[in-house]
């Protein structure tokens, strides 16, 4: 059984993962509207992945005999300055998610909830992968540059990253 504090933090994380899913879906729509189909596909795929993160938490909460509570999800941004702006925001957002996961791990330790501590290790590894993935994408903007066919090439490179 989860403590009240642990349950509240896990429910907040469900909400954050659903918000992440909506942010990436909103970014996908912006990219599709600008003809950046590779990035649109990548972000839509990532939006689905974020939902799967929310469901994994949702299932865990319910399995413990507690109840997942679905709350209001904040409206995501839907206008961006450029493709680079989109991916700078994805990276910044993942840093926020990583901090939230580490806070959750701290809470599990504080509550002596070793089962949840163990469950959260998957998210710790996943955040390492996500930060790495989005940092690699940001690096492409520096390496390829935006001159001439740069944007087209970056979009094609991002399309190849669909997992
Ligand atoms: Fe992209 O992060 Fe979920 O956990």
């Amino acid at each position: 059984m989860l403590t009240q504090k642990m349950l509240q933090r896990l429910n907040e994380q469900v909400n954050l993962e659903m918000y992440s899913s909506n942010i990436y879906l909103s970014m996908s729509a912006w990219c599709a509207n600008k003809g950046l189909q590779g990035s649109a596909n990548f972000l839509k795929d990532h939006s689905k992945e974020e939902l799967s993160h929310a469901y994994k938490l949702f299932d865990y909460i319910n399995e413990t005999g507690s109840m997942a509570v679905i709350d209001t999800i904040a409206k995501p941004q839907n206008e961006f300055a450029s493709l680079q702006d989109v991916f700078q925001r994805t990276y910044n957002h993942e840093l926020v998610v990583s901090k939230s996961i580490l806070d959750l791990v701290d809470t599990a330790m504080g509550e002596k909830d070793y089962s949840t501590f163990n469950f959260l290790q998957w998210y710790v590894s996943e955040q390492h992968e996500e930060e790495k993935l989005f940092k690699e994408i940001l690096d492409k903007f520096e390496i390829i540059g935006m001159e001439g066919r740069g944007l087209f090439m970056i979009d094609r490179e991002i399309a190849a990253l669909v997992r």
Side-chain angles (χ1 to χ4, degrees), residues 15-79:
N15 192 278
L16 181 59
E17 301 290 348
M18 292 174 95
Y19 177 60
S20 305
S21 176
N22 283 354
I23 291 178
Y24 296 150
L25 197 58
S26 179
M27 288 171 166
S28 173
W30 185 89
C31 291
N33 185 256
K34 300 285 181 267
L36 299 162
Q37 205 50 52
S39 301
N41 290 345
F42 169 83
L43 287 160
K44 186 172 164 202
D45 188 74
H46 210 81
S47 165
K48 288 183 202 160
E49 201 175 309
E50 295 299 346
L51 262 191
S52 77
H53 297 170
Y55 290 154
K56 198 176 171 77
L57 281 154
F58 174 90
D59 288 342
Y60 177 77
I61 293 168
N62 291 333
E63 280 162 17
T64 64
S66 298
M67 193 176 115
V69 175
I70 305 304
D71 208 338
T72 310
I73 301 167
K75 183 176 187 283
Q77 182 175 345
N78 51 30
E79 274 303 330

Side-chain angles (χ1 to χ4, degrees), residues 120-130:
L120 289 171
Q121 298 314 303
W122 182 88
Y123 286 86
V124 172
S125 316
E126 180 64 14
Q127 279 315 115
H128 172 75
E129 291 305 316
E130 301 241 307

Side-chain angles (χ1 to χ4, degrees), residues 67-137:
M67 193 176 115
V69 175
I70 305 304
D71 208 338
T72 310
I73 301 167
K75 183 176 187 283
Q77 182 175 345
N78 51 30
E79 274 303 330
F80 304 93
S82 64
L83 189 63
Q84 190 166 9
D85 178 41
V86 165
F87 281 100
Q88 184 63 56
R89 286 172 191 279
T90 61
Y91 181 65
N92 295 348
H93 183 70
E94 289 303 329
L95 295 182
V96 169
V97 175
S98 293
K99 184 173 178 318
S100 179
I101 294 291
L102 294 180
D103 285 351
L104 263 175
V105 171
D106 268 355
T107 304
M109 280 296 269
E111 299 294 290
K112 296 194 178 355
D113 182 346
Y114 301 110
S115 170
T116 301
F117 178 86
N118 191 42
F119 166 75
L120 289 171
Q121 298 314 303
W122 182 88
Y123 286 86
V124 172
S125 316
E126 180 64 14
Q127 279 315 115
H128 172 75
E129 291 305 316
E130 301 241 307
E131 282 184 32
K132 180 166 157 274
L133 173 68
F134 285 109
K135 177 72 174 64
E136 274 171 15
I137 293 177

